[in-house]
């Protein structure tokens, strides 16, 4: 058995010397020292020896195992260091190369337009308020003079949560909330997300509005026109003009649609304005006395004006964007145009 141990030891030392990688050395360890390894098998055979031979052969086996393990550890340390250096060399960073410039984010064009609009009305003395997106029937419809049988309540136009709550169809409910909790004078703009069952190139089921409300003594249509003219000239250009056309909204009386001279052609007529020189931007009017009364404000003492505009509509006109869906596709090439960057 002593000769067998010597033969296995020499074979193991030769295998260690021939191995060049950590993986190969691991295979040598398993081959000779593993559970079914050659030296381990010899150690399992000690039980078949006589009591006199067993201690001596055990000692020889242990010495052989120690010698093999020592050789493995020395060779393994050298192999690990060699592979480490090779890996470091392969992964070396050239510190002389120019660094990667972090990409700066930018505000979404809808957010930019919202902040521009809010800034204009803050300069006129308005404050900013926000309201819930899940709104009660009372504030979304009833207090705005929209009765139960009004077409705006049609299931095809409105997302209903249940019989009493809807996803708000406009930011106007905050008008009612402000007028039922505040005493005049009131001057407020209300930006927010709204929902309607509508979807095409110029409409989205989710979009953004800014509502404006002013309630005080002696407010007239002239005040509304002056306010919106100042807004249009600051938002588009100082030469922008506005035009009021008769319209109908349940919560204003009289009501108007407001057009501005086309920002693309300056009013001369083009594809965007369909040759008219005018582009519709919002609806407005004098607050309906019935709405004032329902909100607890004396309509004989106070009057007011209100307006509502779509942020996407303003952004499309301001930047000449043809399709509303471009705002929601998260295409970096599109968004970079609003940060002064050019796609390369």
């Amino acid at each position: 058995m002593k000769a067998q141990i010597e033969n296995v030891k020499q074979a193991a030392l030769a295998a260690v010397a021939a191995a060049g990688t950590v993986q190969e050395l691991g295979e040598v360890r398993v081959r000779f020292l593993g559970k079914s390894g050659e030296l381990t098998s010899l150690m399992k055979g000690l039980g078949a020896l006589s009591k006199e031979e067993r201690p001596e052969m055990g000692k020889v086996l242990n010495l052989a195992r120690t010698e093999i393990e020592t050789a493995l550890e020395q060779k393994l340390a050298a192999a690990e260091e060699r592979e480490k250096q090779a890996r470091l060399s392969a992964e070396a960073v050239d510190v002389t190369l120019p660094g990667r410039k972090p990409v700066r984010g930018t505000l979404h064009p809808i957010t930019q337009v919202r902040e521009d609009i809010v800034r204009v009305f803050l300069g006129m003395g308005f404050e900013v308020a926000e309201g819930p997106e899940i709104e009660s029937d009372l504030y979304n419809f009833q207090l705005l003079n929209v009765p139960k049988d009004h077409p705006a309540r049609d299931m095809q136009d409105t997302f209903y949560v249940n019989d009493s709550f809807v996803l708000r169809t406009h930011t106007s409910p905050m008008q009612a909330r402000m007028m039922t909790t505040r005493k005049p004078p009131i001057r407020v703009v209300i930006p927010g997300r709204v929902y309607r069952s509508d979807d095409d190139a110029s409409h989205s089921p989710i979009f953004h509005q800014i509502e404006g409300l002013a309630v005080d003594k002696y407010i007239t249509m002239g005040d509304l026109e002056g306010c919106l003219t100042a807004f249009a000239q600051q938002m588009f250009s100082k030469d922008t003009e506005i035009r009021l056309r008769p319209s109908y909204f349940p919560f204003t009386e009289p009501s108007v649609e407001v057009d501005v001279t086309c920002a693309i052609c300056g009013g001369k007529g083009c594809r965007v304005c369909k040759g008219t020189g005018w582009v519709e931007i919002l609806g407005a009017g004098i607050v309906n006395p019935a709405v004032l009364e329902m909100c607890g404000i004396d309509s004989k003492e106070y009057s007011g004006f209100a307006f509502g505009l779509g942020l996407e509509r303003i952004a499309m006109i301001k930047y000449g964007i043809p399709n509303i869906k471009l705002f929601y596709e998260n295409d970096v090439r599109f968004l970079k145009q609003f940060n002064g960057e050019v796609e390369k």
Side-chain angles (χ1 to χ4, degrees):
M1 188 175 188
K2 195 170 187 180
Q4 286 181 289
I5 296 172
E6 183 63 24
N7 289 338
V8 170
K9 184 183 78 170
Q10 293 303 322
L13 294 176
V16 170
T21 66
V22 172
Q23 182 177 347
E24 290 173 349
L25 289 166
E27 293 171 355
V28 171
R29 181 182 292 277
V30 171
R31 175 184 166 189
F32 292 97
L33 303 180
K35 282 187 177 183
S36 302
E38 295 181 24
L39 192 66
T40 305
S41 298
L42 291 176
M43 294 184 76
K44 290 178 180 178
L46 287 175
L49 298 178
S50 64
K51 289 184 179 181
E52 293 77 13
E53 292 180 308
R54 200 177 300 158
E56 183 182 354
M57 290 301 103
K59 184 176 180 181
V60 172
L61 277 168
N62 285 332
L63 288 173
R65 183 181 183 87
T66 301
E67 193 171 343
I68 294 170
E69 286 181 341
T70 301
L72 275 169
E73 289 173 4
Q74 292 176 351
K75 193 68 180 287
L76 184 61
E80 287 178 341
E81 181 63 24
R82 187 166 55 252
E83 291 184 9
K84 175 184 174 182
Q85 293 302 323
R87 187 170 63 254
L88 290 174
S89 178
E91 297 174 357
V93 177
D94 186 350
V95 296
T96 65
L97 289 174
R100 293 179 180 177
K101 182 181 178 182
V103 178
R104 291 185 60 191
T106 180
L107 293 177
H108 192 277
I110 294 298
T111 304
Q112 292 185 36
V113 168
R114 183 189 67 201
E115 292 192 351
D116 289 344
I117 293 172
V118 167
R119 195 176 298 114
V120 170
F121 286 106
L122 285 175
M124 297 185 196
F126 285 72
E127 61 178 299
V128 180
E130 295 183 352
E133 294 182 16
I134 297 178
E135 188 57 271
S136 70
D137 182 273
L138 175 67
Y139 288 107
N140 198 79
F141 292 125
Q142 295 177 41
L143 291 180
L144 296 175
N145 199 34
V146 182
K148 290 283 186 182
D149 58 352
H150 195 279
R153 292 171 173 262
D154 194 293
M155 293 289 289
Q156 304 303 314
D157 298 322
T158 305
F159 293 106
Y160 280 81
V161 177
N162 55 40
D163 290 341
S164 302
F165 289 88
V166 299
L167 297 182
R168 65 180 180 187
T169 58
H170 44 192
T171 45
S172 303
M174 272 303 291
Q175 288 188 30
R177 287 182 177 274
M178 294 296 291
M179 288 190 288
T180 54
T181 56
R182 299 269 293 273
K183 292 182 178 181
I186 299 170
R187 289 179 181 81
V188 62
V189 287
I190 306 122
R193 190 163 40 225
V194 299
Y195 306 83
R196 293 182 193 173
S197 185
D198 203 356
D199 190 15
D200 56 40
S202 58
H203 298 87
S204 169
I206 302 175
F207 58 103
H208 302 79
Q209 281 189 341
I210 285 191
E211 197 83 15
L213 172 70
V215 179
D216 205 344
K217 294 180 179 180
Y218 314 118
I219 285 183
T220 67
M221 184 67 79
D223 297 309
L224 171 63
E225 182 177 11
C227 177
L228 294 180
T229 298
F231 158 71
Q233 290 179 349
Q234 291 186 60
M235 193 66 194
F236 299 108
S237 75
K238 64 179 181 180
D239 299 321
T240 301
E241 298 178 6
I242 73 168
R243 179 178 71 176
L244 307 183
R245 291 181 289 107
S247 186
Y248 166 76
F249 303 108
F251 33 86
T252 53
E253 180 60 39
S255 304
V256 293
E257 297 282 359
V258 181
D259 303 330
V260 297
T261 47
C262 179
I264 305 299
C265 66
K268 297 177 182 178
C270 67
R271 176 178 57 84
V272 174
C273 62
K274 299 179 182 178
T276 65
W278 297 93
V279 177
E280 178 189 331
I281 62 166
L282 58 89
I286 298 300
V287 178
N288 194 317
V291 172
L292 291 175
E293 295 292 342
M294 283 189 286
C295 292
I297 295 176
D298 187 349
S299 62
K300 293 180 181 178
E301 183 177 3
Y302 294 99
S303 59
F305 65 73
F307 57 85
L309 54 90
L311 292 181
E312 285 84 351
R313 177 77 170 162
I314 299 297
M316 290 172 75
I317 295 170
K318 186 177 179 68
Y319 299 119
I321 298 169
N323 193 320
I324 194 172
K325 291 180 174 56
L326 289 169
F327 292 120
Y328 312 120
E329 291 176 347
N330 295 326
D331 188 328
V332 175
R333 295 169 300 176
F334 171 75
L335 297 175
K336 278 186 175 180
Q337 297 177 64
F338 303 93
N339 192 29
E341 295 187 23
V342 179
E343 179 68 17
K344 296 181 180 177

